[in-house]
Amino acid sequence: MSQTNRQFGLLWGGVAASLVVVSPLGPYFANWLPRCQFKAILGLPCPGCGTTRSALALSHFDVSAALAANPLATLAWAGLIFGGLLAGVLALADRRVPELPSRLPVSWRWTITLALAANWVYLVIHGS
């Protein structure tokens, strides 16, 4: 395993572990976070609206509230945490951490674009 791959795994694992450790403190920081200016000005939720509420709900293991706040963000948070913990364990075990290709295939790019658009439509319909 290359040194860069190991550092990547340890960094991602460290970030994920830190998020897990500080997650009980999430509600204390919620009041300090700025409100969405996109929604304040246009009256519509931005594509990322609900991401913070999703993270706060996940910090209380309330998956249904997290999914209701922003389904795609909930999946992203889960991927960040579980993927990071796995990457950290693999790096500590001196195993190669899988990496995404430098250029995603067109089908993946279309799938990601459609998922983002569908998530935004969900947020607009549900008024997040």
Side-chain angles (χ1 to χ4, degrees):
M1 172 171 48
S2 72
Q3 184 65 18
T4 304
N5 188 271
R6 181 177 170 81
Q7 289 174 342
F8 169 72
L10 291 174
L11 177 63
W12 188 8
V15 167
S18 299
L19 287 172
V20 170
V21 169
V22 300
S23 67
L25 301 175
Y28 300 109
F29 297 113
N31 293 332
W32 297 354
L33 298 171
R35 302 291 176 230
C36 177
Q37 293 303 304
F38 188 93
K39 188 173 183 177
I41 294 170
L42 298 177
L44 292 171
C46 74
C49 271
T51 302
T52 303
R53 284 174 288 158
S54 171
L56 292 173
L58 285 175
S59 73
H60 291 108
F61 303 104
D62 190 353
V63 177
S64 61
L67 286 168
N70 189 322
L72 198 57
T74 302
L75 294 175
W77 284 118
L80 172 72
I81 299 296
F82 293 120
L85 294 176
L86 177 63
V89 168
L90 288 173
L92 289 173
D94 210 25
R95 304 272 315 259
R96 182 159 176 70
V97 177
E99 299 175 13
L100 287 174
S102 60
R103 184 163 170 88
L104 293 174
V106 174
S107 60
W108 283 32
R109 287 185 267 163
W110 274 107
T111 302
I112 291 168
T113 302
L114 291 174
L116 289 168
N119 190 66
W120 195 12
V121 168
Y122 169 87
L123 294 175
V124 169
I125 290 171
H126 292 292
S128 287

mmCIF file of all heavy atoms in Angstrom, residues 101 103-110:
data_model
loop_
_atom_site.group_PDB
_atom_site.id
_atom_site.type_symbol
_atom_site.label_atom_id
_atom_site.label_comp_id
_atom_site.label_asym_id
_atom_site.label_seq_id
_atom_site.Cartn_x
_atom_site.Cartn_y
_atom_site.Cartn_z
ATOM 1 N N PRO A 101 -12.483 6.253 -9.085
ATOM 2 C CA PRO A 101 -11.681 6.594 -10.261
ATOM 3 C C PRO A 101 -11.576 8.116 -10.411
ATOM 4 O O PRO A 101 -12.449 8.855 -9.951
ATOM 5 C CB PRO A 101 -12.447 5.978 -11.424
ATOM 6 C CG PRO A 101 -13.810 5.710 -10.918
ATOM 7 C CD PRO A 101 -13.718 5.559 -9.436
ATOM 8 N N ARG A 103 -11.934 9.851 -12.998
ATOM 9 C CA ARG A 103 -13.011 10.348 -13.865
ATOM 10 C C ARG A 103 -14.127 9.320 -13.851
ATOM 11 O O ARG A 103 -13.942 8.177 -14.250
ATOM 12 C CB ARG A 103 -12.486 10.558 -15.280
ATOM 13 C CG ARG A 103 -13.497 11.155 -16.206
ATOM 14 C CD ARG A 103 -12.809 11.723 -17.439
ATOM 15 N NE ARG A 103 -13.746 12.109 -18.456
ATOM 16 C CZ ARG A 103 -14.324 13.292 -18.537
ATOM 17 N NH1 ARG A 103 -14.058 14.215 -17.645
ATOM 18 N NH2 ARG A 103 -15.162 13.573 -19.514
ATOM 19 N N LEU A 104 -15.287 9.754 -13.384
ATOM 20 C CA LEU A 104 -16.427 8.846 -13.291
ATOM 21 C C LEU A 104 -17.019 8.567 -14.670
ATOM 22 O O LEU A 104 -17.069 9.462 -15.513
ATOM 23 C CB LEU A 104 -17.508 9.451 -12.396
ATOM 24 C CG LEU A 104 -17.174 9.603 -10.920
ATOM 25 C CD1 LEU A 104 -18.296 10.340 -10.218
ATOM 26 C CD2 LEU A 104 -16.936 8.259 -10.275
ATOM 27 N N PRO A 105 -17.498 7.349 -14.888
ATOM 28 C CA PRO A 105 -18.165 7.045 -16.160
ATOM 29 C C PRO A 105 -19.411 7.919 -16.336
ATOM 30 O O PRO A 105 -20.001 8.397 -15.369
ATOM 31 C CB PRO A 105 -18.563 5.574 -16.020
ATOM 32 C CG PRO A 105 -17.736 5.031 -14.916
ATOM 33 C CD PRO A 105 -17.403 6.181 -14.023
ATOM 34 N N VAL A 106 -19.791 8.112 -17.585
ATOM 35 C CA VAL A 106 -20.934 8.974 -17.911
ATOM 36 C C VAL A 106 -22.195 8.485 -17.198
ATOM 37 O O VAL A 106 -22.978 9.298 -16.692
ATOM 38 C CB VAL A 106 -21.150 9.031 -19.440
ATOM 39 C CG1 VAL A 106 -22.415 9.783 -19.792
ATOM 40 C CG2 VAL A 106 -19.948 9.666 -20.116
ATOM 41 N N SER A 107 -22.401 7.191 -17.123
ATOM 42 C CA SER A 107 -23.605 6.667 -16.460
ATOM 43 C C SER A 107 -23.646 7.061 -14.986
ATOM 44 O O SER A 107 -24.705 7.383 -14.455
ATOM 45 C CB SER A 107 -23.686 5.147 -16.611
ATOM 46 O OG SER A 107 -22.556 4.532 -16.021
ATOM 47 N N TRP A 108 -22.505 7.062 -14.331
ATOM 48 C CA TRP A 108 -22.454 7.477 -12.923
ATOM 49 C C TRP A 108 -22.763 8.961 -12.797
ATOM 50 O O TRP A 108 -23.463 9.383 -11.883
ATOM 51 C CB TRP A 108 -21.077 7.205 -12.329
ATOM 52 C CG TRP A 108 -20.787 5.785 -11.986
ATOM 53 C CD1 TRP A 108 -21.248 4.661 -12.606
ATOM 54 C CD2 TRP A 108 -19.953 5.340 -10.929
ATOM 55 N NE1 TRP A 108 -20.738 3.546 -12.018
ATOM 56 C CE2 TRP A 108 -19.937 3.932 -10.982
ATOM 57 C CE3 TRP A 108 -19.198 5.977 -9.959
ATOM 58 C CZ2 TRP A 108 -19.204 3.157 -10.099
ATOM 59 C CZ3 TRP A 108 -18.469 5.213 -9.080
ATOM 60 C CH2 TRP A 108 -18.484 3.822 -9.145
ATOM 61 N N ARG A 109 -22.189 9.758 -13.713
ATOM 62 C CA ARG A 109 -22.425 11.206 -13.651
ATOM 63 C C ARG A 109 -23.897 11.529 -13.867
ATOM 64 O O ARG A 109 -24.450 12.385 -13.173
ATOM 65 C CB ARG A 109 -21.554 11.928 -14.675
ATOM 66 C CG ARG A 109 -20.087 11.943 -14.242
ATOM 67 C CD ARG A 109 -19.245 12.739 -15.181
ATOM 68 N NE ARG A 109 -18.700 11.817 -16.169
ATOM 69 C CZ ARG A 109 -18.193 12.185 -17.324
ATOM 70 N NH1 ARG A 109 -18.167 13.443 -17.681
ATOM 71 N NH2 ARG A 109 -17.706 11.283 -18.152
ATOM 72 N N TRP A 110 -24.561 10.834 -14.794
ATOM 73 C CA TRP A 110 -25.990 11.040 -15.011
ATOM 74 C C TRP A 110 -26.792 10.596 -13.797
ATOM 75 O O TRP A 110 -27.752 11.258 -13.386
ATOM 76 C CB TRP A 110 -26.468 10.303 -16.265
ATOM 77 C CG TRP A 110 -26.279 11.120 -17.501
ATOM 78 C CD1 TRP A 110 -25.352 10.932 -18.473
ATOM 79 C CD2 TRP A 110 -27.017 12.284 -17.878
ATOM 80 N NE1 TRP A 110 -25.463 11.901 -19.429
ATOM 81 C CE2 TRP A 110 -26.487 12.750 -19.101
ATOM 82 C CE3 TRP A 110 -28.077 12.988 -17.304
ATOM 83 C CZ2 TRP A 110 -26.979 13.871 -19.749
ATOM 84 C CZ3 TRP A 110 -28.559 14.097 -17.961
ATOM 85 C CH2 TRP A 110 -28.018 14.538 -19.161
#
